[in-house]
């Protein structure tokens, strides 16, 4: 099993806010880690100025309903090993974030820990 993926609570809150605002819109968003250690999101369909030193941390996708695994058509487009975060409306009406390691056309769920800074 892969090591635990740790997300700062501020980033998790930002993702949940984006999911609430874009619940019925599809697309892949990107999360970058800047050279000064700050995370920032580029929402699906909106360009974001990325500095040369900024590193892609993860991709994210919003789903209106609970999913068993991410969409296979999305996974097949991922070129190199990448983390994909899925944000869904869970069965109890609560937004959930799950992490997936995507490589070789497959996705394996990864343990996710949200921490306070």
């Amino acid at each position: 099993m892969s090591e635990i993926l740790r997300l700062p609570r501020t980033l998790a809150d930002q993702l949940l806010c984006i999911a609430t605002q874009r619940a019925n819109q599809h697309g892949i968003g990107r999360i970058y880690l800047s050279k000064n250690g700050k995370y920032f999101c580029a929402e699906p369909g909106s360009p974001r100025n990325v500095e040369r030193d900024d590193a892609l941390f993860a991709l994210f996708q919003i789903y209106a309903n609970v999913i068993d695994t991410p969409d296979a058509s999305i996974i097949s487009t991922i070129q190199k090993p990448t983390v994909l975060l899925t944000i869904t409306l869970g069965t109890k009406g609560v937004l959930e974030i799950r992490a997936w390691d995507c490589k070789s056309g497959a996705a394996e769920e990864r343990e996710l820990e949200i921490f306070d800074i």
Side-chain angles (χ1 to χ4, degrees):
M1 175 144 196
S2 301
E3 67 181 68
I4 296 171
L5 178 67
R6 300 185 77 230
L7 284 185
R9 185 167 307 282
T10 53
L11 177 58
D13 290 344
Q14 185 179 5
L15 289 170
L16 294 173
C17 183
I18 291 169
T20 301
Q21 295 168 353
R22 298 169 76 67
N24 295 319
Q25 300 174 356
H26 298 287
I28 299 283
R30 289 172 169 68
I31 303 169
Y32 294 95
L33 179 59
S34 68
K35 60 183 174 185
N36 63 1
K38 302 227 183 231
Y39 295 91
F40 62 89
C41 296
E43 295 182 31
S46 62
R48 168 71 187 205
N49 293 334
V50 178
E51 301 294 324
R52 184 179 347 161
D53 295 335
D54 294 339
L56 180 64
F57 173 73
L59 302 175
F60 68 92
Q61 185 167 31
I62 302 162
Y63 291 89
N65 299 307
V66 174
I67 59 165
D68 290 326
T69 58
D71 187 340
S73 65
I74 303 263
I75 295 168
S76 66
T77 64
I78 297 174
Q79 300 296 319
K80 58 183 180 179
T82 302
V83 172
L84 174 66
L85 301 174
T86 56
I87 306 159
T88 61
L89 182 60
T91 56
K92 297 181 181 179
V94 177
L95 287 170
E96 299 175 346
I97 301 174
R98 294 167 66 191
W100 304 86
D101 275 330
C102 298
K103 55 187 166 204
S104 304
E108 179 181 326
E109 191 162 10
R110 186 169 173 181
E111 188 174 348
L112 178 65
E113 177 184 329
I114 297 174
F115 68 95
D116 293 313
I117 296 177

